[in-house]
Amino acid sequence: MRLIAAALLLATPLGAQAPQVTALKAARMLDVRGGTIVSNAVVLISGERVTDVGASLAIPPGAKVIDLGNVTLMPGLIDVHTHLLQNYDGNLDGDDPNMLLTVASIGNTRRALLGAAMGREDLEAGITTVRDLGNSGLGGDVALRDAINAGWVVGPRIVASTRALSAAGGQFGQIAPEAQSLIANEYAVISGVEDARRAVRQALYDGADVIKVIVNTDPRVVSLDELKVIVEEAAREGRKVAAHAIGTQATAIAAQAGVASIEHAYSIPDSVFAMMKAKGIFLVPTDYMPEFYLGIGSAAPNAEAQKQREAGVKGFTAASRARVRRALAQGVRIAFGSDEYYQVPGLTRGEATLRSLRAYSDAGMTPIQVIRAATTDAADLLGWSGRVGAIERLKYADIIAVPGNPLEDIRALEKVSFVMKGGKVVKQ
């Protein structure tokens, strides 16, 4: 092996030509950290990374110039909670039948191909990085991540979790004993501290960048001791833990164990928010507008049933907005996560994902708060703040362009006209 490495080194030309410089020009650029608009923006790119950025920068001779005109440049968006290898049919009325169908009928190989399609749709919408949190079969998310990194398929950067760790049954509903072998395709079931430790080690061996834990699927709950060991074992290898948790008990266990983020938390007390603030734990709300929830599932059988359904959605969304406001009031950091895994008629996966940003705004977050949740704050949660999340020197040239001023209208993010990932144009 040493001889091969030496031969390759000697074969590399010493005077290899430097990558061509690309200059992006636009009427405006959003400085996400400062929350300001830079006029007459120029971004210089060499290879995969930004080399300089500013107003009216001099463009080096010989640079390839891409003049985008009257648009605003922004860093590529980050979705920290998605499931690219799922695309559920709302007409099946619920997660349980969809999950069984996906696992039993589609299979791991076709799900990886589905993930490639969903990933490309995310990227073309302006989502250049995702954290894929389980429900990806046996290694499907890792295979997709590696295929994208190798250039075999086009898609976003992926932080992959492999199978989520969970108590018995995972997130499946009640299924017959003879069908329960399907559970192992989606979840690493743990029962006890040593089971938890082994599951983390297996996930890391399988290629996990992050560990996902289903803290509760009522009435099943992972214990505090189990989750502490999971966090400890993951941290030993420099990995973070994302915890699906809903309700007082589960969210408190997650916060006490010191996870990096609590996902969903549709019901959560202020006492847990206080712990999250003290420990720097992110909230990932995964919220949508009411019309999204009402658009999933078959039509109500009658007017009264539809009225009840609308009232239920209205109550749920109102409570969701209130818990975001409570989190902000206590200084809890928020990262954008869509938890998108349903087909939305008329929209690509990426378009449907970005519609969920409206819910963050509807909860009272200002446009710059929403944008930071999907850029700099999301990058901090991933541990990738040195790579992505802002248009800055030495970061990856993951850049999008939107019309108008996104600081005035967050819906501008739904109209991405240009996408660059790692210095390569994906959409123009």
Side-chain angles (χ1 to χ4, degrees):
M1 293 295 291
R2 291 178 180 175
L3 290 175
I4 294 173
L8 289 172
L9 182 62
L10 290 172
T12 302
L14 297 176
Q17 190 173 6
Q20 182 185 36
V21 172
T22 297
L24 280 185
K25 296 179 63 178
R28 299 169 300 278
M29 183 189 73
L30 176 59
D31 175 356
V32 177
R33 295 193 195 280
T36 58
I37 295 291
V38 177
S39 298
N40 300 315
V42 176
V43 183
L44 300 181
I45 300 156
S46 180
E48 292 186 301
R49 300 193 182 254
V50 173
T51 57
D52 206 356
V53 57
S56 303
L57 287 182
I59 297 175
K64 176 184 176 182
V65 178
I66 302 176
D67 191 342
L68 297 174
N70 186 27
V71 296
T72 301
L73 298 180
M74 291 181 53
L77 303 174
I78 303 170
D79 183 354
V80 302
H81 188 130
T82 193
H83 302 281
L84 293 179
L85 279 74
Q86 289 179 302
N87 196 32
Y88 284 0
D89 182 352
N91 292 319
L92 291 180
D93 285 333
D95 287 358
D96 289 351
N98 269 290
M99 184 177 290
L100 285 170
L101 179 65
T102 298
V103 175
S105 299
I106 299 179
N108 289 311
T109 304
R110 285 193 291 169
R111 286 178 74 181
L113 297 173
L114 169 66
M118 297 296 97
R120 176 143 200 161
E121 290 183 3
D122 259 10
L123 181 60
E124 289 176 346
I127 303 164
T128 54
T129 300
V130 303
R131 188 176 62 163
D132 197 90
L133 290 180
N135 297 115
S136 300
L138 292 171
D141 54 350
V142 170
L144 179 59
R145 176 198 68 195
D146 293 348
I148 290 171
N149 290 345
W152 297 353
V153 295
V154 175
R157 305 183 193 281
I158 293 180
V159 175
S161 73
T162 68
R163 296 181 302 166
L165 280 57
S166 74
Q171 291 174 289
F172 281 88
Q174 192 66 44
I175 57 178
E178 57 267 30
Q180 289 184 14
S181 60
L182 294 175
I183 295 168
N185 195 83
E186 296 292 288
Y187 302 96
V189 172
I190 62 171
S191 181
V193 168
E194 289 310 311
D195 257 9
R197 194 184 306 277
R198 279 191 293 269
V200 174
R201 291 178 178 177
Q202 184 66 50
L204 296 175
Y205 176 77
D206 291 339
D209 302 305
V210 62
I211 302 298
K212 167 77 175 297
V213 183
I214 308 299
V215 180
N216 68 317
T217 299
D218 289 337
R220 308 177 299 273
V221 183
V222 170
S223 74
L224 176 58
D225 286 343
E226 289 167 340
L227 192 51
K228 280 182 175 179
V229 165
I230 290 167
V231 171
E232 172 191 305
E233 196 67 25
R236 198 165 59 83
E237 295 298 326
R239 304 299 199 277
K240 298 185 178 186
V241 175
H244 164 116
I246 299 168
T248 299
Q249 181 188 35
T251 56
I253 287 172
Q256 289 166 17
V259 301
S261 61
I262 296 180
E263 318 294 307
H264 317 303
Y266 298 123
S267 174
I268 180 171
D270 285 343
S271 58
V272 174
F273 279 144
M275 280 194 284
M276 293 172 68
K277 165 63 175 174
K279 295 185 178 186
I281 298 171
F282 280 79
L283 172 66
V284 181
T286 67
D287 291 347
Y288 281 85
M289 297 298 285
E291 54 266 29
F292 173 84
Y293 300 114
L294 293 171
I296 292 176
S298 55
N302 53 59
E304 181 59 30
Q306 179 64 16
K307 184 178 179 181
Q308 292 178 359
R309 185 178 181 186
E310 290 174 358
V313 166
K314 182 179 179 180
F316 173 74
T317 53
S320 296
R321 304 297 185 265
R323 68 95 160 70
V324 170
R325 289 192 290 271
R326 289 191 292 116
L328 291 170
Q330 293 215 36
V332 175
R333 297 182 74 186
I334 292 177
F336 166 61
S338 70
D339 194 26
E340 175 58 74
Y341 56 95
Y342 270 91
Q343 300 170 27
V344 178
L347 300 177
T348 69
R349 168 59 67 90
E351 290 168 345
T353 294
L354 294 182
R355 289 285 180 94
S356 67
L357 288 168
R358 298 181 186 182
Y360 290 66
S361 180
D362 195 45
M365 295 176 67
T366 65
I368 191 60
Q369 285 177 318
V370 177
I371 291 167
R372 286 171 178 157
T375 54
T376 50
D377 290 342
D380 285 349
L381 172 56
L382 299 184
W384 280 18
S385 57
R387 308 182 199 182
V388 297
I391 304 176
E392 296 173 345
R393 290 186 66 252
L394 304 183
K395 284 186 171 60
Y396 285 120
D398 294 357
I399 300 170
I400 64 174
V402 300
N405 183 350
L407 294 180
E408 297 173 353
D409 184 2
I410 197 64
R411 295 192 185 194
L413 274 60
E414 300 172 17
K415 303 172 184 177
V416 172
S417 60
F418 172 86
V419 179
M420 171 181 278
K421 177 194 166 195
K424 294 183 179 179
V425 176
V426 175
K427 173 183 176 180
Q428 185 175 354

